[in-house]
Amino acid sequence: MKKITIALIPILFVSCSWYGTHGRIYQNNRVSGKVILMFHNRISNGFEDHHNMLVGEVLDNLEEKNLLNIEYLDRQYNALTFKRSPYFAEYKQVAAGYLFVTAYSPNFSDVDLKMELYDSNFNLVLTAHHNTFWGNSYFFPPYIARTIKDAARGAVKAFDRKLIKLNH
Amino acid sequence: MKGLYVFLMLLGCNLALAQVDFENRIRSKVDCEDISYTALSLIPEFYYKNQKDSIIHFIRYWEEKCGESHFSKEIRVLYEIDREVFDEKEIDLQFFQHLLDQVDYIDYMVFLDSNSQVVNILSGAEKSEYYQISEFHLFTSLWAQEILDKHDFTACSDKRDILLAYAGRVDEFFESVGNNACETILNGFYISEVSRLKSLGEGEFGVLTGIWKPFNNAAALGVHPSLGFYFGHQKGKVLFDITMLMRFVKSPSSYTVVYEDSLISTRHFFGGYIGLDVGYELLRTPSTRVYLLGGIGYDGFEALESDPDVDDEPSRSIGSLNLNTGLGGKWFLNDSMGYLGLELRYNFVNYNNPGGTDFTGNALSVRLLVGILGNYTKQTGLRSLRHE
């Protein structure tokens, strides 16, 4: 009986720490609360239409997978700058997690897109990445509108796969 | 007849409506260029008459009619900081970009102010626009400076950094946002942008010349000059290059090779190396980079000259795997991507010449390089952030 008690104590601690880091995001294969989505991109180079297109594509793809309860915050932050912004204190009470999408164009037409999911304690849960330079092939150099679409689809697909794996 | 009257009345009404519609359209059209142009003189006027509330009303009207512009945002932010109603939630990546644009404007104004010959070639309208924008910048910088003097901002404050940029104190602005001890929002964007730019890879291309000196038994081949080219890519501290080079000049003494069971004596030598060279960056200053070098490739030489026009002309090549290691440095010229380089490599080779002269022994090579290494986006980006 004593041995069982000794074995149960570390299991209890491990499960509590797992719940603390991940449990607030996933419950019953579903997201249990709001995940705040933010973008930090350098592909628009001042052209608003590309930023809006990127936001639209990522939101559409995430909605299609229907895994996260997304609330989009229309401000451009990455993890570091969000934590320093006044929004952090505001969202800390309500957010189950934070999803940061950073994107930039490594050349004239490709898009390198990275998604980082943090839990409510701001621990990095997973990252998914898609670079159209390596991940897609085009017969002719593509327009950036097309690579934005491909990068969003590729990154959300990888994100979805990792999220499912993490959940099981 | 009645029908004709009705038709004419309807036609008349339509024409009248069309006329009113056109007029409305013409009257309601707002020329944003005119508003912006007026703003450049009207806002300073409001300021000097101490009518600061009129400034914000005008900005609201301007932004409502024409959307937010760089100048309208600048004035609005100055007004809000002055009135202590500025919300730091406004500081995001786009705002950081707005401040970098402000720095670009200031740099451009300073350039024009100190290069009157450039201003002289501007057209009349351009010149008048330049003078007006220049005066507007002078006004905003004075206002920003006044707010800085009036309020006691702490050294690590986003508002202070914004005002430094608007006041044209560019070096102090970058010093402040680049100070990692200040964990401000703008400092976060600065760190992120610097680290993004630093992570970008760099392309390399160049030509090389040098000498190749074999040792031990291979010394019989003699010292040879080399000439070649290389191209590659550096990511982080690791540099990869594909190198191709030729070695020429006859050997100083004869050596023997076996060709179709006959031992032939020759001084002919035409060699080369093709391989993958790798460098690990040990030291970097703005003008110098030092690398630990390694390489793997094919090394060989033609011992008997082949002649494609003569069928039975003897031809014989001797080759070996080349593994090399060494040290190298690159010295960049005038902050450009162009450099001069020097490399010293020890080459482990094993030329196999069965029946002929024994060529066991390794070789030392010295390469002089002239090339370019860099990434334009990375270099100009880091320079614009005043980051060395």
Side-chain angles (χ1 to χ4, degrees), chain B residues 327-341:
Chain B
L327 266 179
K330 287 172 179 158
W331 292 270
F332 289 83
L333 311 164
N334 302 327
D335 292 336
S336 69
M337 292 192 276
Y339 66 82
L340 294 174

Side-chain angles (χ1 to χ4, degrees), chain A residues 39-42 48 51 74-78 80-81 84-87 90 104-106, chain B residues 88-94 96-97 182-185 187-189 191-193 196 200:
Chain A
F39 286 76
H40 183 275
N41 83 77
R42 280 284 183 190
E48 192 65 21
H51 173 72
D74 188 13
R75 310 294 301 166
Q76 289 208 43
Y77 292 115
N78 58 12
L80 173 71
T81 49
R84 292 179 180 185
S85 81
Y87 283 106
E90 198 175 290
Y104 78 97
S105 185
Chain B
E88 288 187 347
K89 279 180 177 174
E90 190 159 342
I91 306 171
D92 70 346
L93 181 65
Q94 274 181 318
F96 182 65
Q97 188 56 53
C182 292
E183 293 186 350
T184 56
I185 312 170
N187 169 253
F189 285 113
I191 294 171
S192 307
E193 187 60 1
R196 183 188 75 83
L200 296 178

